[in-house]
Structures are given as C-alpha cells and as structure tokens.
Amino acid sequence: MKNYKKFVLAFALTGAVLTGCNNKDSANDDKAEINETTITEQAENTNETDTNEQEEKTSDNDTTSEEIKGVSKDNNIVVDKENQTVTIYTTFNGKFLTESTRHLVVSETGKFGDKPVFVANTPPADFHQALLDIGAKPGDNMTPENAEETTSEGTPLEITAYWDGNEEGTNVNDIVKDSNGKDLDIRFTGNLDRSNEMKTGCLSCLDSCTVGISSNANYPLGSVEKTKTVEFSIDEDKAPEDGTPVALVYTIRG
C-alpha cells in the first residue's frame, strides 16, 4: 500500500511537469508569433516610409526640371531662328539679393558656376553657336591687353526672364539695377577660344569681358571689382525667389 501511494505521487508530479512544459512551449509559440507579426509590420511601415520619401524626392525633381518657355533642365537651350531668339534654362541665385556681383549668367559646368545671378545648364560653346545660328555677330575685340580701356562689341542683345507665375516676362533691366542708373548694353562679345581655354562657364558678364560669351558694353573690364565705377544689385520686388527655375530669352536688339 505504501509503495502504491509513492507510485501515485510520482505519476502526479510527472503530469504537472509535462503540463508546465506544454504551457511554456505554448507561451513561447505565442511570443514568437507576436514578434514575427511585429517585425512584419515594422518592415511594411519602413517600406511605406521609403516609398513616400522616394515619391517626395521624385516630386521635387519634377519641380526643378519643369518646362518654361520650351526649355527645361534636360532640354536647356532652344534656338528660334525665325524670331531670332535663344532661350536657356537657368536657376535664380538668391545670394545676390544681398551681395553684388559682376557675373549675370554662368553655366554650372564652369569654374564660376557659383558666382552668377542666374546659374545656367548650357555650356558656353553651345550658347555661342546658338547666337551664331540666329544671325548674331561676335565682336571678338576684347583681349587681356586692352580689356581695361575697351568695351565689348558685337550684336546687341535684349534679355527677358520668365518663370512660373511670370508668364508675361520681365526685362532683365527691371531685375538687375545699375548704381549709375543705366540699362544693360549686352553684346555678343564672342571670346569662344578663350572661354574654352579658361573654362569659367561665363555666358553673360556685367562689364565688358575677355572670356564671357556676351557682356555689358557700358563698362570696361574691372569697373565692378577694381575701379568700382559701378555696382549691381537685385530689385527684390521684381526678382523670383531663390532657387526658382527661370527661362532667359536672348533676342537680337534692333
């Protein structure tokens, strides 16, 4: 009888242990299932976040490459021989709302790509050829030797700026102000060989230049930075916001 009681007690203890193990295994299974669900949800949330961020970036890129007057970042120059215009895609540099510069338009491909009022995507050689295509004649009269006594020659050009919300266009003379009250006298200066050699990227300069494809015939080289005969500023009320895509239309001035 005593042995029988021991047997019953041992059997009961074994059953309790097995039951505890089964419950522990079940709890572990439930915990694993919860962890797996949580990981899956986190992965889905991460993917959703990445997708949203990518869509935002794509949207931003679409904005910066929008087409204005037939040009965009990818299609950055349009030549209209019939109307004698060259249109280039640029971005307005708001830095010069508070600083002065002698660089009006410079290609981002050049060494001076951070110095202009308008940063272009068009290389100088393409701009030079485009002006030839519409019938403009380069002056090619500026040299390092005569630059401080000579002013730019060549076909006179007018520049009009267009951007989103300004479809009617604004003459560059309303945006860029000469401290002496003069309108810009932009000429097709030429300078292709020197431009290719110096690689500054200059398309339009605010005083006569030995490198820029076009430049302002009102002043010889050095008038802005050396002799300080003139200073150029931006009319904030007439200018676009910093970073705004701007189409600049060059027209032969009669």
Side-chain angles (χ1 to χ4, degrees):
M1 186 68 174
K2 188 174 181 180
N3 290 335
Y4 174 75
K5 287 182 178 180
K6 289 182 179 180
F7 174 78
V8 171
L9 179 60
F11 181 80
L13 289 173
T14 301
V17 171
L18 291 174
T19 300
C21 291
N22 287 335
N23 289 339
K24 185 176 180 181
D25 290 342
S26 177
N28 288 337
D29 290 343
D30 291 342
K31 185 176 181 181
E33 185 176 347
I34 291 172
N35 288 339
E36 184 177 354
T37 301
T38 302
I39 292 171
T40 302
E41 289 175 351
Q42 289 175 344
E44 289 175 351
N45 291 336
T46 300
N47 290 336
E48 184 177 351
T49 300
D50 291 343
T51 301
N52 290 338
E53 289 177 352
Q54 185 62 40
E55 288 175 352
E56 288 176 3
K57 290 179 181 179
T58 301
S59 177
D60 290 343
N61 290 337
D62 289 343
T63 299
T64 57
S65 62
E66 65 180 313
E67 184 174 286
I68 309 168
K69 298 294 288 184
V71 292
S72 64
K73 194 168 186 178
D74 295 326
N75 181 37
N76 57 62
I77 186 168
V78 170
V79 177
D80 185 341
K81 295 181 181 179
E82 182 178 352
N83 293 305
Q84 295 186 307
T85 65
V86 173
T87 305
I88 61 173
Y89 182 89
T90 72
T91 303
F92 179 68
N93 188 352
K95 171 183 178 180
F96 297 105
L97 290 168
T98 56
E99 297 181 23
S100 180
T101 182
R102 63 175 293 269
H103 302 283
L104 181 60
V105 187
V106 178
S107 172
E108 65 176 3
T109 63
K111 293 186 290 187
F112 289 175
D114 62 335
K115 298 180 182 297
V117 177
F118 298 98
V119 180
N121 299 96
T122 305
D126 292 355
F127 182 58
H128 185 280
Q129 183 59 53
L131 291 175
L132 291 177
D133 290 343
I134 64 171
K137 305 297 182 184
D140 286 324
N141 66 304
M142 300 293 299
T143 69
E145 291 72 31
N146 69 16
E148 294 187 10
E149 293 81 31
T150 305
T151 56
S152 177
E153 297 176 4
T155 299
L157 304 167
E158 183 174 279
I159 308 173
T160 307
Y162 298 83
W163 60 87
D164 185 26
N166 180 35
E167 285 74 17
E168 297 299 317
T170 300
N171 191 293
V172 74
N173 287 304
D174 292 327
I175 300 173
V176 180
K177 310 308 291 185
D178 176 316
S179 60
N180 296 318
K182 297 181 180 181
D183 284 346
L184 301 180
D185 183 11
I186 300 295
R187 303 297 186 97
F188 179 18
T189 317
N191 296 327
L192 181 60
D193 290 342
R194 201 169 293 111
S195 174
N196 288 337
E197 177 187 352
M198 302 301 292
K199 302 185 187 307
T200 62
C202 297
L203 302 187
S204 297
C205 304
L206 290 171
D207 54 6
S208 296
C209 188
T210 62
V211 179
I213 302 301
S214 62
S215 59
N216 184 11
N218 284 334
Y219 304 99
L221 183 69
S223 296
V224 179
E225 296 176 342
K226 187 175 180 180
T227 65
K228 301 187 185 304
T229 305
V230 63
E231 183 176 358
F232 293 96
S233 59
I234 301 299
D235 186 336
E236 185 173 2
D237 293 334
K238 299 293 180 65
E241 295 182 0
D242 180 34
T244 298
V246 177
L248 294 181
V249 179
Y250 289 75
T251 306
I252 290 180
R253 180 159 42 94

